[in-house]
Amino acid sequence: MDELTRQRTRAKWDAAAKNFDVMSSRGPEKRWAPYKREFFSAMRGRILFLAVGTGLDIQFFPPNCQIVGIDISPKMLEQARARADAYPGKLELREMDVHALEFPAASFDQVFTSCTFCSVPDPVGGLESLRRVLVPGGELHMFEHTGSRYFPFNLMLNIMTPLARRFGPDMNRPTVANVERAGFRIRDVRHVYLDVVKAIVAEAPASTAG
Ligand SMILES: C[S@@+](CC[C@H](N)C(=O)[O-])C[C@H]1O[C@@H](n2cnc3c(N)ncnc32)[C@H](O)[C@@H]1O
């Protein structure tokens, strides 16, 4: 990702940080809470948590995990700090762009992320970066909203995307296909709401080459 796109992405999410909890925590977070608790219960080993945001998901993490949480937005991380400090385990926060991960290859056993690949500017490139930092056979766990195959949802999501993208996420990304394009093997796709909100589990190839 080029520097201008990186700066624009950071600025967009810095601007969203202030009202993010009000927009997210009352509605969507309550609604998805049972699914998220189950989703994060699979956390094991050395974990990269991508796109911490304001840290709303931290409440769903099982205790005593070893997690590095990253986000491109310093303002989001600022708000996440108190939640990270209260986590009963090891949770280090770092400002970082998924397209330019500063970790050596094969640093993590698992990557977890939620509502992120609607937002990163180059989803396949970002997913390839994640593949690099996972051990061979390492797991990618994603809780994402995506485009839909079904009318009228596909039409609505396509219409909403140009406006939504200016302030936040795209609404119509083909995220499962992007995961495969980035070289992962899909293990499981669970539809949480229609075919729009999904829990995806994928596996990095046994060899990290290529
Ligand atoms: C829709 S918010 C979701 C935040 C959090 N995962 C949640 O569900 O509450 C998207 C997040 O992705 C982060 N983000 C966007 N592009 C990124 C990138 N290239 N690298 C790292 N984080 C990024 C934003 O800063 C923002 O915090």
Side-chain angles (χ1 to χ4, degrees), residues 3-206:
E3 191 48 37
L4 183 61
T5 310
R6 181 169 296 127
Q7 281 174 18
R8 283 192 176 143
T9 304
R10 183 179 295 125
K12 175 166 85 171
W13 290 102
D14 273 353
K18 197 167 155 223
N19 296 317
F20 192 81
D21 279 8
V22 179
M23 304 284 284
S24 313
S25 59
R26 307 236 164 89
E29 282 310 302
K30 274 204 179 130
R31 181 170 191 187
W32 309 129
Y35 302 101
K36 288 212 170 166
R37 200 160 281 115
E38 188 191 333
F39 173 74
F40 287 112
S41 70
M43 283 181 149
R44 306 270 181 281
R46 293 164 303 164
I47 300 154
L48 175 64
F49 178 49
L50 165 64
V52 175
T54 61
L56 286 171
D57 282 334
I58 294 172
Q59 61 186 309
F60 304 121
F61 294 176
N64 304 317
C65 291
Q66 190 186 330
I67 304 164
V68 179
I70 65 166
D71 201 289
I72 198 169
S73 157
K75 298 272 183 215
M76 287 282 189
L77 289 172
E78 225 171 84
Q79 295 206 42
R81 180 72 52 199
R83 290 177 171 132
D85 289 347
Y87 171 67
K90 192 158 180 270
L91 174 49
E92 179 195 347
L93 297 186
R94 291 179 62 177
E95 185 185 322
M96 210 180 290
D97 175 5
V98 68
H99 304 93
L101 293 176
E102 298 159 24
F103 306 108
S107 294
F108 297 98
D109 302 301
Q110 296 181 319
V111 173
F112 275 77
T113 195
S114 84
C115 300
T116 302
F117 280 91
C118 51
S119 308
V120 301
D122 171 8
V124 176
L127 286 158
E128 285 169 349
S129 301
L130 294 179
R131 186 160 68 85
R132 183 186 69 77
V133 300
L134 273 169
V135 294
E139 295 172 358
L140 171 65
H141 294 251
M142 309 168 78
F143 191 94
E144 296 284 346
H145 65 87
T146 68
S148 173
R149 291 175 56 198
Y150 301 111
F151 183 83
F153 306 106
N154 49 4
L155 180 65
M156 282 160 50
L157 295 168
N158 288 341
I159 289 171
M160 284 157 73
T161 289
L163 181 64
R165 180 185 293 153
R166 291 174 63 182
F167 307 101
D170 284 21
M171 306 302 288
N172 60 356
R173 292 243 172 119
T175 299
V176 177
N178 287 343
V179 172
E180 287 181 304
R181 264 180 223 132
F184 285 92
R185 187 178 72 81
I186 300 287
R187 261 201 219 159
D188 189 48
V189 178
R190 178 177 170 200
H191 289 182
V192 174
Y193 179 69
L194 302 172
D195 67 335
V196 175
V197 179
K198 302 180 172 86
I200 303 163
V201 183
E203 189 180 295

